[in-house]
Amino acid sequence: MKWNTKTYEFPLLAIVTWLLCYSPAAAATLAVLYPEVKAPYKQVFEQILDGIASQHNERLLKVPLGKKFDKSRILAEMDSDNVDMVITLGRRSFSFVSELKDRYPFVSGALPLSPNGVSGVSLIADPETLFTRLNTLAPKVQRVFVVYTSRNKWLMELALQSAESKNLKLVPYEVKDLAQAVEKYREIFKQTNSYTDSIWLPLDKITANEKVVLPLLLKEAWRRKIVLFSSKPSHAKRGALFSIYPDNKRSGVRLAQMVQEIHRLQNKPGVEPMKYLKVGVNLRTSAHLGLEYSREQMHSFYAVFPTP
Amino acid sequence: MLIIGRNKPQTLRRQLLTFLLLSIALLSILSSVVGAWVGSSQSRSMLVNSSLQIAGNLAERSVLSLITSSEENAEEATSQVLGFSDVIGVAILNEELTPLLIKGILEFNAEKYMSLKNNDGPKLAEEDSKSWRILAPVYFPDIAEGEDEFEMEAGDPKKMGYVIINVSKESLIALSDNLLVYNILIGVVTAATMGALMNIGIGRLTQPIFNLSHRMKQAQESGEHTFARIEGAKEIRQMAESYNGMMKVLEKQEDELIGMNVRLESEVEIRTKELIQARDAALVAARTKSEFLANISHELRTPLQAVMGYIELVKEELEFEAMDQQIEDLEEAMKSSQRLLALIGSILDLAKSESGKMEMNPQETSLIEVMDDLTAIVKPLAAENNNQLVITPPRSNIVFIADREKVMHVLLNLLSNACKFTHDGSIEFTVKKTSETLKLSISDTGIGISQDQHTLIFDEFRQVDGSVKRQYGGTGLGLAISKRFAQMMGGNISVTSSLGKGACFTLSLPLNSSVSLEVENKGSFREITQ
Ligand SMILES: Nc1ncnc2c1ncn2[C@@H]1O[C@H](COP(=O)(O)OP(=O)(O)OP(=O)(O)O)[C@@H](O)[C@H]1O
Ligand SMILES: [Mg+2]
C-alpha cells in the first residue's frame, strides 16, 4: 500500500488559498486530534497533517492520541490553550465529537463518514469521480453491480444519479450480513456478462470483506472476466482492476478550509465525499481483460501493480 | 568400589578397566537416553506448534464454510489440511459445537470441548498415546490493527465456530524410537572404542607396576635379592627405588649375618673340642678313682680276712687254756676287724657302682619273704635300744621283679639307722602300693634330722655332725650306697623329718621299670593272698 509514494506539491495553489482565506482578525489556534498508529497508517495521518499545516498558517496544536487517553484532561488542556477550532482524524478522536459539538467549531476526517450532522471529509469516494475513472479505464462496462449494507445507503442514492449521468446502469443490492452478501454475490455472478459487467466494492466491512468476500470475488471475476473495482486502496494490489487512493494532503487542506469557514461564518458545510482521488491499477488484471492504456493514462496512475 | 571382587583379588589393571568401562557405559547410556529424550521432546513441541499453526490456518479458511453453512466449502477448506501426513482427522463445528463436517479419523465428543470454548487461539485440547486434538476458534474476519482507525466502529472479533484437527503421533513416536536406537547405538560404539583405547592405555600405564610386583613376587619365592627396573609413573618409580633400596640393605645384612655365623661356628667347634677333652679327662679320672678304690678294697680285704682267720685260730687255742681276759681282748680285735671288713665292703660297693661294674640281678621277689627276713635280722637291733618294732605286712603278698639282695640291703640299712638313732621309741615298717610304684616306708621316733641336712645325708661319708660319729659310730656311707642302689633299680629314697621329731625314710620302686620289663611276660608282679 503506497499511499505516499508520490506527493503532489502545489505551492502556488497553497499560497493562493492562504491569500483567499487569510484574515488578520482570525489569528486563531487550530487543534488537530489524531491517533498514534504504526506504519503504514501513520503516514496517512502525517500527510493529512501536512495539508492542514499548509492551509492553516497560524498556531497549530497537534494532539496525538495513544490507545488509551484521558478525554477530560485533553479537553481541559485545549481550553487552557485557547483553542479556537478542532479537526478530528480517525476513529479514536471521533469519540470527542459529542463533547466538541457545543464548545468548538470542528470537522472530522479520515473516516468513512456518512451525513449525520457532523461536518467533514469522508473517506468514501465520490461516486461521480469513481465512475469517471471506470469509464476511462474499462470503457466497455455498461452495468455496475454493488452489494452494500445500510450504512452506505446514502451513498447509493448519490451513486444512482452519478451512474445515470455516466451512462452506466447501477444495480445495487442491500444485505444484512456476510452470509447474505456471499449469497448475493453468487446470484450476481449467475447473471453477469463478461467485459460489460462490473462489480463495485464499496468501503464496507461486510460486503467488501477482505478475507472471505474478496478472494471469492477475485477468483470468480477472473474466471468470468468481469471488471472488479474497489473504493479500498489495497484491493488493486490484490487483483481488482483498479482501486481509489485518497489524496491525503489535499483532504487535509480541505479539512482546514472547512473548519476555518465554520469558525468565520458559523455555517455547516456537512459531509463531503472524497473528491480528490488518485488511482492504482492492476496491469495483470487489465491485460487479462484485454484492456490497454495509453502512455499518458499510464502516467496519470498513482500506482501500478504488480510493481515493476 | 563395587567392582572389587571380595573373594579373589583382581589385578589393578582389570579393576581400573572395569571401573572405567562401567563409567563410560553408564555415561553413554545416560547421554543417549537424555539426548533422545531432549530430541523427542523438542520435536514434540515443534510438531505441536506446527499443528497449532495448521489449526489456525484452517480456522481462517473455514470462515466461508461457517458463514454459508455449506459442506462443500467445508470440504474445500479441509482438503488441504488433510494433505499433511500427520493430520489424520479434521472437523468444522459451529458455535454450539455442532459439527458441520467431520473428515478422517476423529471421535468427536462435544462435552469434552465445552470448557475450551473460551480460548482465544488454537489450543491443545486433548492428548492420548496416539494423537493430539487441537481446537481452534474461528473468528469473523476482521481488519488489521491500525487500519480500524479508518472505520466508524471499532472491530469486535466474533466467534463463528471452531475447527478441530486430530494429529497423529505416529511419526513422532517413530522419530523418538529412531533417536533412541541411534543414540544408544552411537553410545555403544563410542563406549566400545573408548574401552579398546582405554585397554591399551591402562595396559601401558599399569605395565611398570605389574613388572614391579612380578619382580617382588619372584624375589619372595626365590629368596634372592633381585632388583627392579625403574620405569613408569613417578609413584611407581619411587616404589621401585624403595624396593631396590630395601633389597640392598637386606643383601648387606645377610652378608654380615653369614660372616657372623661362620665365626660363631668355628668358636663353637673350638669350645666343643675343649669340652670333649675336659669330659674325657674327667671320665678317665673318675674311672681311675673307682678302679683304684676297688683294687685297694680288694687288696685290703684279703690280708684282713687272713688277720681275722688268725684271730679266730688264736681265740680257739686260748679257750682251751681258759684265758678269758685274752679272749675278751681278741673278741674286741675281731669286732674291729669285722667293722673294717664291712667298711671295705661298703667302699667296694660304692666304687663298683660308680665305675659301672655293679651287676644287677633282677628276680621275682616276694615282699612278704623280704619282710620276714628283715624282721629276723632287725629284731635284736631294735631291742638293743629298747625300741619297739612294728612291721605291718600288706594284706596280700606282692611279688615283683627286682634285685632282691639290693632291696634287702637298702631296707636293712634304713632299719638299722632307725634303730641306731632311736631310743625307747618305736620303729614302724609300712608298705604302700600304687599302680606304678611300690613304697616301703620306715619311720621312727628318734632324734630326727634338721631340714638343711635332708640332702646332705645322702652324700658319701656324711653324718649330721661330728658328735654323731662319736656317739653312734658309723661311716656315713650307708645312705649314699642305698640311694645309689635305689636309683639303679629305677627308684629313689626320700626323707621327711625335722629335728627331735623322728624321721621317715621311703624307698620307692617302680613296678614296671626297665628292670622288671625284662621278665614282664612272666608277670611283673602278682598279688598273693595269704
Ligand atoms: N633314722 C635316723 N634318725 C636320725 N638321724 C639319722 C637317721 N638315719 C641316718 N641319720 C643321720 O644320717 C647320717 C648318715 O647315715 P648313714 O647311714 O649314711 O651313716 P651311719 O649310719 O652314720 O654310718 P654307716 O651306716 O656307714 O655305719 C647318720 O650319721 C645320721 O646322722
Ligand atoms: Mg647307717
Side-chain angles (χ1 to χ4, degrees), chain A residues 34-37 65-69 71 89-96 111, chain B residues 145-146 148-149 151:
Chain A
Y34 66 100
E36 266 186 326
V37 288
L65 301 176
K67 262 191 183 157
K68 280 178 186 150
F69 51 87
K71 207 185 247 184
L89 300 177
R91 185 173 52 79
R92 244 174 252 177
S93 34
F94 195 72
S95 64
F96 280 83
L111 279 176
Chain B
E145 192 196 323
D148 67 343
E149 272 303 322
E151 299 292 337

Side-chain angles (χ1 to χ4, degrees), chain A residues 203-271:
Chain A
L203 275 186
D204 193 315
K205 257 204 318 196
I206 290 168
T207 64
N209 185 287
E210 288 199 327
K211 291 213 172 102
V212 179
V213 176
L214 187 64
L216 215 73
L217 293 188
L218 286 171
K219 212 162 73 180
E220 275 307 289
W222 182 271
R223 199 161 68 81
R224 293 173 194 262
K225 301 202 165 164
I226 307 289
V227 173
L228 187 69
F229 66 100
S230 172
S231 296
K232 185 154 184 180
S234 58
H235 287 180
K237 194 180 183 182
R238 301 268 307 260
L241 178 62
F242 71 92
S243 62
I244 293 303
Y245 284 73
D247 188 337
N248 295 316
K249 188 164 179 179
R250 289 194 64 176
S251 63
V253 171
R254 179 67 197 128
L255 282 167
Q257 283 173 350
M258 279 171 94
V259 79
Q260 281 165 355
E261 227 172 277
I262 298 170
H263 181 53
R264 244 193 353 246
L265 308 170
Q266 303 289 319
N267 65 346
K268 269 208 180 229
V271 171

